[in-house]
Amino acid sequence: MEEETQELAFAGTDAIVILCLYGVAMILIGWWSGRGKQLGKSVSDYYLAGRNLGVITLFFTLYATQYSGNTVVGYAPQAYREGFSWLQSIPFFTLIIGVYLLFAPRLYVIGKKQNFITPTDWITHRFQSRAVTILAIVLMLWGLANYLLEQLVAIGHAVAGLTAGAIPYGWAVIGFIVIMLTYEWLGGMRAVAITDALQGIILMIGIAIMLAGALVLSGGGVGDLTASIAVQQPEKIGVPDLATNVNWLSMLILVGFGAAMYPHAVQRIYSSRSERILKRSLARMTWMPFITSGVVFVVGIICIDLYPGLDVSASEQLVGLLANDVAGLHPFFYWTMVLLFGAVVGAIVSTADSVLLSFSSMISHDIYGRYIDPEAPQQRKVMVGKLAGIVLIALLLWIAWNPPGTLYQIFVLKFEILVQVAPAFVLGLYWKRLAAWPVFWGMLAGAVLAGAMTLTGNSTVFGIHGGVYGLAVNFAVCVAGSFLFPPTAGKQAENSRMTSLEAAVQNAR
């Protein structure tokens, strides 16, 4: 395929117009969300939308959190490169919901009673240890910074690919950073949640129509498609071998527990209006892996036949290539691809703003408000968080200018570290014997092992990711250490008070 001579369906003026309209709309939403609410004067109001998200808004903001721009821009190319073995992208999203259901309702009850703002409020409340809290903050901030970097890279790829270079990678990243900072500064979590809802609806519709267009381009015959792939690239359609199956299981554990530990996802748990609304939103999320990642997977498989022979770099632009070809089929497909174009970029930006908001809240509340100036007024804490977000964006912008590897490689790296906080949440919520020092050494050992394996080029051994090895060591240290060194009498009393509190809240439901 000669990409440089391809006729583009909506490059140039149309692409620039849709981007400008999107940017203006997001800024207006930010202004409207914060109008008259004095968001900068309340940490809870700015970062948690006043703990008043209803079922529709909460569902879509959870949806936008779980399905970022990487789902469309990164996963279709991954399916293209790996073939049918990338089917794993569907069950690991399903497992994420299972992990949420395991701990989210229980955490919500305690968080509402204790007025938690950030995920590490739970760590502090449960373990009463500065060392455990600081380590958890470091690991979560690493995961957030890495995830935000991923979204900045995805913005550049999405815009450059969908416009075939009419808007260059660098200008795309800078432009949408400015838009994101503006509407988030104006509207806080309310603006983020409303934009998530709008973008989620458009994204789901656009992905479905892109699939329909891809089927039209391929001739509509799924049987003929798989037969063609079997002849030309049989390795992408064969039954996975044992090593691939082991890697699947490793990926399920890594992503299932790691994504559930996203700080911005945990804060959405706190933002729910009620426990019932939280459970209803999570129940609706169980269908989304099939509707979103399942459809994107099929799109990637179809593209194996449509665009054979793309190398890794060229395949990263796969969604843009397909969108342009689909748009050329018919005026209906043209306009739906224009909408999808806006929705893909919007989904990336909506995930990026959620991550940035959570990062800012942890700097503001956990570091500045807890350790630097505990007596600072809430307005100053919010301002510190906003400024910290700008500094982070400047640093990541410098890195994103020359992105380190494919989106998928960046995606895996953050989970290796972030998953290490899972025992502190899941075990901590259900096992009163879990002690602070085993949690600290377990998190540290797991993070060091996972990081060392990645830095030495051994991110997987026998098909198992370094983060999973780290999690196994982490879990073993937590369990063994808590049996050998149980909580002190003071900590046991604290655990007893926590249990009594949970019982009281349970009776009040």
Side-chain angles (χ1 to χ4, degrees):
M1 178 181 177
E2 296 180 1
E3 295 173 30
E4 63 274 12
T5 60
Q6 182 186 15
E7 183 69 23
L8 302 177
F10 52 90
T13 303
D14 288 344
I16 295 172
V17 169
I18 196 67
L19 284 173
C20 291
L21 290 175
Y22 168 77
V24 171
M26 296 304 99
I27 292 173
L28 288 175
I29 288 174
W31 170 80
W32 181 82
S33 300
R35 181 171 54 94
K37 295 182 174 64
Q38 297 183 327
L39 292 181
K41 296 184 178 180
S42 170
V43 173
S44 177
D45 223 31
Y46 184 77
Y47 291 119
L48 300 180
R51 306 177 193 269
N52 196 37
L53 295 185
V55 64
I56 295 176
T57 309
L58 181 61
F59 164 76
F60 276 109
T61 196
L62 285 170
Y63 174 79
T65 297
Q66 183 165 330
Y67 300 95
S68 68
N70 189 48
T71 308
V72 178
V73 179
Y75 285 18
Q78 195 68 25
Y80 174 89
R81 291 189 289 265
E82 292 194 13
F84 279 81
S85 66
W86 188 241
L87 189 66
Q88 63 176 299
S89 63
I90 301 174
F92 72 52
F93 275 116
T94 305
L95 184 59
I96 294 170
I97 304 302
V99 176
Y100 279 147
L101 290 170
L102 180 65
F103 79 92
R106 190 176 181 92
L107 180 63
Y108 172 80
V109 172
I110 302 172
K112 184 175 182 179
K113 184 70 175 180
Q114 297 296 324
N115 293 316
F116 291 165
I117 301 294
T118 66
T120 49
D121 278 340
W122 155 251
I123 301 292
T124 300
H125 171 77
R126 171 64 176 82
F127 298 106
Q128 301 293 307
S129 167
R130 175 174 291 196
V132 175
T133 299
I134 291 175
L135 180 57
I137 290 172
V138 170
L139 296 183
M140 287 187 172
L141 288 179
W142 164 261
L144 286 172
N146 199 294
Y147 195 24
L148 184 55
L149 172 61
E150 175 191 304
Q151 302 313 306
L152 298 183
V153 174
I155 288 172
H157 282 309
V159 176
L162 288 167
T163 64
I167 301 178
Y169 172 91
W171 285 109
V173 175
I174 292 174
F176 279 96
I177 283 175
V178 172
I179 292 170
M180 178 182 69
L181 288 173
T182 301
Y183 77 77
E184 185 175 288
W185 189 290
L186 292 172
M189 172 65 92
R190 285 187 178 87
V192 171
I194 293 172
T195 55
D196 284 350
L198 295 176
Q199 293 152 3
I201 293 170
I202 298 172
L203 184 65
M204 284 191 286
I205 295 172
I207 290 174
I209 295 175
M210 173 176 270
L211 174 61
L215 289 170
V216 171
L217 288 172
S218 67
V222 177
D224 294 339
L225 170 67
T226 54
S228 174
I229 297 173
V231 171
Q232 298 180 24
Q233 302 183 65
E235 72 280 2
K236 293 186 177 181
I237 203 169
V239 176
D241 56 19
L242 178 61
T244 301
N245 289 330
V246 170
N247 186 260
W248 274 26
L249 180 59
S250 172
M251 201 59 185
L252 284 171
I253 296 171
L254 182 69
V255 179
F257 284 90
M261 296 299 110
Y262 280 148
H264 49 298
V266 173
Q267 286 182 291
R268 276 149 177 75
I269 295 171
Y270 300 157
S271 299
S272 178
R273 188 181 302 159
S274 68
E275 184 185 3
R276 180 171 175 268
I277 285 175
L278 175 63
K279 289 180 175 178
R280 288 175 61 191
S281 298
L282 290 174
R284 285 159 174 76
M285 283 288 293
T286 58
W287 296 98
M288 293 302 104
F290 306 97
I291 295 173
T292 304
S293 57
V295 172
V296 171
F297 165 77
V298 174
V299 167
I301 295 299
I302 293 173
C303 288
I304 295 174
D305 188 55
L306 290 177
Y307 310 106
L310 297 181
D311 60 19
V312 172
S313 178
S315 68
E316 287 287 294
Q317 306 290 336
L318 190 65
V319 174
L321 297 174
L322 178 61
N324 281 316
D325 286 345
V326 170
L329 291 172
H330 187 272
F332 170 77
F333 282 112
Y334 173 86
W335 288 110
T336 53
M337 286 303 96
V338 171
L339 289 175
L340 176 63
F341 169 76
V344 167
V345 175
I348 300 168
V349 176
S350 71
T351 302
D353 61 30
S354 299
V355 175
L356 181 61
L357 194 70
S358 187
F359 186 96
S360 299
S361 72
M362 293 183 70
I363 296 294
S364 168
H365 179 72
D366 293 335
I367 295 179
Y368 182 78
R370 181 173 286 139
Y371 297 117
I372 297 177
D373 189 1
E375 303 301 321
Q378 294 200 32
Q379 186 174 3
R380 187 188 303 167
K381 293 178 183 178
V382 172
M383 181 58 65
V384 167
K386 289 180 175 180
L387 295 176
I390 293 175
V391 172
L392 175 68
I393 284 289
L395 174 63
L396 295 182
L397 180 61
W398 174 72
I399 298 174
W401 216 260
N402 294 288
T406 68
L407 291 176
Y408 175 68
Q409 290 169 328
I410 300 171
F411 166 77
V412 169
L413 180 62
K414 71 174 179 295
F415 283 125
E416 306 286 336
I417 300 299
L418 188 58
V419 75
Q420 305 308 324
V421 302
F425 277 86
V426 179
L427 283 180
L429 281 162
Y430 288 96
W431 192 32
K432 295 190 294 292
R433 190 183 183 94
L434 186 65
W437 280 108
V439 169
F440 173 83
W441 289 111
M443 282 196 297
L444 183 61
V448 169
L449 176 59
M453 290 181 66
T454 300
L455 291 175
T456 57
N458 299 293
S459 58
T460 61
V461 176
F462 302 115
I464 301 175
H465 294 86
V468 176
Y469 284 114
L471 182 62
V473 171
N474 185 351
F475 182 85
V477 171
C478 285
V479 173
S482 294
F483 275 115
L484 293 174
F485 305 100
T488 63
K491 294 294 187 297
Q492 289 175 336
E494 174 64 28
N495 288 339
S496 176
R497 287 194 296 273
M498 184 182 73
T499 304
S500 300
L501 169 63
E502 293 175 19
V505 175
Q506 180 70 30
N507 292 333
R509 286 178 178 171

